[in-house]
Each structure stands twice: as C-alpha cells, then as structure tokens.
Amino acid sequence: MCVNFTPPTHRQLLDGFGLDATGLEWRAETWQDYTAPIITAGGLLLASYGFIPKPHLPPGVRLTTMNARAETIGEKPTYKGAWRRCQLCLVPMQAFFEPCYETGRAVRTSISLVSGETFAVAGMWREWQEPEGGVSHAFTQITINADQHPLMKRMHKPGDEKRSLVILPRERYGDWLACREPELARAMLAPFPAELMQAAPAPVKSANAQ
C-alpha cells in the first residue's frame, strides 16, 4: 500500500497538466494528512492525503484511508457514497514509494516512469465541512491486485498480497474525470505496463515546502 509519494512541482504541474497552481503550496513529499494537488472534473484542488483526515476521526479512532481497494470500494462505508457518485480525481506525481524486501529487509523504493515524466494515478475525492464553516477537501488513491505484475509483485513483505496504485495512461485522463458510471470507472483500473516503469532505492528525505 502506498503511503508516501512525491507530488509534481509547480512547473511540472503547469508543463505536464496545463494547470497553474500559483498561490498554492505543498511539501516536497506527501504523507498522511499532508495536502497535495489533485485534479478533479472541476479543476485543480489542494486536498489532504487520506479520505478521512485525522481531525475528522471520532476520538480514539485510528483509521488509515490513504488507499482504497478497487475490489471493495463500492461497499465500504468510508468510500461507497463517493464511489457511487463518481467523485473521481487524478493524483499527479513524480514517483511513489513502496518497501522492497528482496534484500531480506525493507528498502524504501521509488516507483516512477522510465521516461522521467510526471504521471497521474486514479483517485477519489470528497469535501469536508469544517467546524469554523469552511470547506476542505481530501482524497484517497485506488489500488488493485499486483500479484502478477512484473515490477509491483516485487514490493511488500514476502507472503503479503501485492498491491499497486493505478497509473492511468495520459489518454485516459479525460475519460476518468468525466466518468459517471462506477462500473465504467472500474474497467479503467488496470495494471500499467511494467516496461514503462522503473524502481530504484530511495532513502528518506526531509519534507520541505516547495
């Protein structure tokens, strides 16, 4: 399960997605409850990573909602409403991180495109009413089984189910954002070609504002 990624810079967001994020700020790496840019049918938003941000959890409840399983997204109480309404988004990024255990221990590994280009993964978003009266936004990334994926099956602990984010082909961005039928959206949740992806060890870096 992906819990950390590198969002695009302002320049990359403009060059790769045609979106001007002037006035918005986000950190160089995204972790739970950090804000990052997402793309919805209505345009660019700055949203919190995790469908239920910590401030909106009941006291004493701990719940991780950074990833939503494609197989159960339409049934889980946390996600089913937004899924059935097709509140879909693109999560643009430079890379995401997974643990690789091929050496016998967890090695933080960066997953990116061979081309070096930015890309976007399939996500879902929602609004939150804030106590002071404002509105905030949050998102989750959708994952699929990757037991047979040549690259992603190398990630995670031995014996654990292999999962992957859904990298969407650039030509499907518009289809994903415009989709209003959950089952049509589900049909777009497919593995990305392994030959277009690359993996490399990536030590943890400090998260600095861009």
Side-chain angles (χ1 to χ4, degrees):
M1 304 289 277
C2 175
V3 298
N4 173 219
F5 66 92
T6 304
T9 64
H10 286 74
R11 172 54 61 182
Q12 288 172 330
L13 195 60
L14 183 61
D15 292 347
F17 300 89
L19 295 170
D20 186 350
T22 300
L24 301 179
E25 295 296 331
W26 56 89
R27 300 187 186 188
E29 287 190 6
T30 305
W31 298 83
Q32 183 174 4
D33 292 315
Y34 287 15
T35 55
I38 64 169
I39 304 166
T40 73
L44 181 68
L45 293 176
L46 201 60
S48 181
Y49 185 25
F51 217 54
I52 305 179
K54 286 181 181 178
H56 290 279
L57 287 171
V61 173
R62 298 182 65 183
L63 186 64
T64 299
T65 55
M66 291 174 284
N67 298 282
R69 294 173 64 93
E71 297 87 343
T72 57
I73 197 170
E75 291 75 47
K76 292 289 185 180
T78 298
Y79 306 115
K80 66 180 182 182
W83 175 251
R84 292 171 185 176
R85 290 189 295 272
C86 280
Q87 292 175 203
L88 307 177
C89 68
L90 298 170
V91 184
M93 59 183 67
Q94 302 177 54
F96 59 92
F97 301 95
E98 300 286 5
C100 180
Y101 283 80
E102 291 178 332
T103 63
R105 61 181 180 85
V107 175
R108 183 174 184 258
T109 300
S110 169
I111 311 296
S112 59
L113 298 189
V114 171
S115 66
E117 296 176 298
T118 53
F119 57 96
V121 303
M124 193 168 65
W125 69 282
R126 64 161 295 170
E127 291 184 347
W128 284 98
Q129 296 293 326
E130 298 299 333
E132 65 274 15
V135 175
S136 64
H137 301 92
F139 71 97
T140 187
Q141 297 165 137
I142 301 173
T143 69
I144 56 175
N145 180 273
D147 284 343
Q148 304 304 317
H149 191 273
L151 187 149
M152 295 307 299
K153 71 180 182 181
R154 298 169 46 202
M155 305 299 136
H156 301 289
K157 291 181 180 179
D160 283 1
E161 181 192 5
K162 312 306 179 183
R163 305 290 299 178
S164 177
L165 300 182
V166 180
I167 300 176
L168 289 167
R170 191 168 292 272
E171 63 270 18
R172 299 308 302 271
Y173 289 176
D175 295 336
W176 178 254
L177 294 178
C179 186
R180 294 297 175 264
E181 295 291 337
E183 290 312 307
L184 290 179
R186 193 186 301 276
M188 286 186 257
L189 301 175
F192 196 73
E195 64 271 18
L196 301 181
M197 302 167 66
Q198 61 184 355
V204 175
K205 298 179 180 178
S206 60
N208 299 313
Q210 297 200 43

